[in-house]
Amino acid sequence: MAYENTWPLRSRVRCCRSGGLVLAAAVLVIAAGCGRSGGAPGSDPGSVQEGKASYYAHKFHGRPTASGEIYDENQMTAAHKTLDFGTTVRVTNLYNGKKVVVRINDRGPFVEGRIIDLSYKAAGELDMIAAGVVKVRVEVLQTAGDF
């Protein structure tokens, strides 16, 4: 009788042990895929995205960004949803061909269809202040880990 009562328990212990090994293996595989060399999709130097760009309103000047840095509308910076902080990108205004190089220091934009939010200075150099939103090409020049 005692053997019959403990058999399911022994089976469950074996099952949990092998399940734990499978779980540990899965965690290692996932962790290996999160290394610095891969980064976010499209984050390698030379990667290109096209979409719409907007720029920060004046009210954000002097406020902290997601990186902890204080936003300065007179610096060449930008917000991107996935690129590492410190990554430099070239942004090309596809309407007039003007280009700027900016450093990612914030997260956003959080408006559907937009891929980058530029500082006021960068937007001015792209001649997009009046339009507000323009179609751009964003090319990764240097990732934060490449410095």
Side-chain angles (χ1 to χ4, degrees):
M1 277 296 212
Y3 180 74
E4 289 177 21
N5 290 338
T6 60
W7 181 80
L9 179 59
R10 287 181 184 163
S11 177
R12 275 187 249 135
V13 169
R14 275 189 227 119
C15 176
C16 291
R17 284 184 186 155
S18 39
L21 290 175
V22 171
L23 178 62
V27 168
L28 288 175
V29 168
I30 290 168
C34 294
R36 284 280 318 158
S37 61
S43 65
D44 295 327
S47 297
V48 176
Q49 290 181 310
E50 287 191 4
K52 293 179 181 174
S54 52
Y55 65 92
Y56 286 87
H58 292 292
K59 70 179 182 179
F60 294 105
H61 181 71
R63 293 187 183 179
T65 64
S67 68
E69 188 176 326
I70 301 300
Y71 170 64
D72 182 347
E73 65 184 18
N74 301 305
Q75 297 298 313
M76 299 294 285
T77 59
H80 192 276
K81 291 175 192 158
T82 59
L83 292 175
D84 290 340
F85 297 138
T87 297
T88 56
V89 297
R90 178 184 300 119
V91 181
T92 304
N93 181 335
L94 296 178
Y95 294 125
N96 62 22
K98 292 185 178 185
K99 300 175 183 186
V100 295
V101 174
V102 295
R103 181 178 47 83
I104 304 300
N105 73 339
D106 201 5
R107 290 288 170 242
F110 299 106
V111 176
E112 190 173 337
R114 297 187 193 173
I115 61 170
I116 196 164
D117 227 351
L118 300 165
S119 67
Y120 188 78
K121 181 174 183 177
E125 291 193 18
L126 287 176
D127 199 20
M128 62 172 278
I129 300 293
V133 177
V134 296
K135 189 167 183 185
V136 296
R137 177 180 300 117
V138 176
E139 179 184 359
V140 176
L141 298 177
Q142 190 173 38
T143 61
D146 291 341
F147 293 108

